[in-house]
Amino acid sequence: MISKRQLKEFERLRIRMVEEQLERRGISDPLVLEAFRAVPREYFVPAYLKNSAYKDTPLPIGRGQTVSQPYIVARMMEMLELSGKERVLEIGTGSGYQTALLSRCCAVLYSIDRIGEFVLKARQTLDSIGCLKPFLYTGDGSLGYPPKAPYDRIIVSAAASSVPPSLQAQLAENGLLVMPVGPSYGQNLLQARKKEGKFLIKECEGCLFVPLIGEEGRAGS
Ligand code: SAH
């Protein structure tokens, strides 16, 4: 349980995080900033790390996985160019933090993780903060989620050496896909826009993500 006084303090830290870690580094999309002001990150980290919830860093969530640094999540969400009307597929639900943020910026959200335990926990956390919109699934997201395709936007929070063909196929015309691409020791955020069946690629800043493990993920996984 988090007391009223703690909640106030977390709220103060959250507003400061948005100013210092996001706005000061150039994040300017109002939809994204508003989502970060609203979603309490302390609910999505393990109890022993609650006091670190607003630090400028990724945090462990178990099973060798991490909830990404807030700035990187914000950057990826900005690269998705959301208007609030899109149907979005998120791959790598993890703690559900990014799921909660995304759900405030789109119309319909599907999120998939290969670890069933994470999906159950994320569902509970999202319910506990009243975030009921996202549909969560357990499965290999390197293959996308065919039943609800095509998607206006696809965001992947695990890294691969290239964009999985299934994800390319499940992106709608004029859609955008954002994911970290590169070798396991370091990647770049990539934005792929589908235009007349072809992809226009923009590579942005460097990042470091856990591997996308699956049939169309990292070789050998
Ligand atoms: N966005 C998450 C962080 C995710 S860490 C958050 O806000 O907490 C990366 C996640 O990707 C992990 O939960 C991992 O289980 C998941 N993952 C890795 N490979 C996957 C795959 N092929 N399909 C679905 N999820 C995958």
Side-chain angles (χ1 to χ4, degrees), residues 158-201:
S161 45
S162 57
V163 179
S166 293
L167 301 188
Q168 299 183 24
Q170 288 170 37
L171 190 64
E173 175 63 18
N174 288 318
L176 280 172
L177 174 147
V178 172
M179 75 176 283
V181 170
S184 50
Y185 53 82
Q187 308 93 34
N188 286 313
L189 293 179
L190 176 146
Q191 184 205 55
R193 191 184 300 270
K194 197 173 194 174
K195 277 261 175 240
E196 288 157 17
K198 296 209 174 81
F199 286 91
L200 306 173
I201 305 286

